[in-house]
Amino acid sequence: PEVPFETILVGPGTALADVAKASGVSVDEIRTRNLRYSADRTPPDPGKRFPVAVPVGKGATALAQLDAKGASRRETHRVRFGEDFSTLAADTQTPTKQWLRENGLESAGSLEPGTWLFVPKGAKFEHRKGTPFVAPRPLEVPKDHRMVLYEAR
């Protein structure tokens, strides 16, 4: 028989296993109703809330338990230009495999600037503190010319 579900909004990085436990149902039951979360957790985009289906009548209890547990409080990192998993691993002294596992990835492909990643537990960007950001000098365009920019794809 089909079990009716309701939708709750949870924070970034909330594990479906935590939602299942807070709802009092199996992980498989939550997973089958939330197929959009292939990494078994909500995306890492900070400041956003994500819809998760739970059995009807379990939403308020699940939200209260998740908030009390702090399940949605996970550290995230926004990828900067030039960063890849090897630089993140070196900067945090955390193995690349741990970064991949934390983000539900199998291989270390290229990273797009602006992508949000989960930071592995215990990883810290310690030695980046005080590292100056050097901005490029603005281009100077002669008065009788105009600047045209193209995006290569």
Side-chain angles (χ1 to χ4, degrees), residues 19-104:
V19 174
K21 186 174 181 180
S23 302
V25 297
S26 72
V27 176
D28 286 337
E29 198 170 342
I30 295 295
R31 191 179 289 136
T32 58
R33 300 288 183 202
N34 296 282
L35 296 175
R36 72 178 94 191
Y37 304 122
S38 58
D40 281 346
R41 69 174 144 238
T42 58
D45 299 344
K48 290 187 180 178
R49 306 294 278 170
F50 299 92
V52 175
V54 298
V56 168
K58 303 278 188 173
T61 304
L63 281 175
Q65 287 188 20
L66 289 169
D67 285 343
K69 182 183 175 196
S72 62
R73 294 181 190 99
R74 298 192 57 199
E75 188 177 351
T76 57
H77 172 73
R78 191 171 195 169
V79 176
R80 298 185 221 173
F81 181 78
E83 284 184 325
D84 58 19
F85 281 110
S86 62
T87 58
L88 291 171
D91 288 350
T92 59
Q93 300 176 353
T94 306
T96 300
K97 285 183 181 180
Q98 198 170 340
W99 277 91
L100 295 173
R101 188 174 350 137
E102 192 70 25
N103 288 283

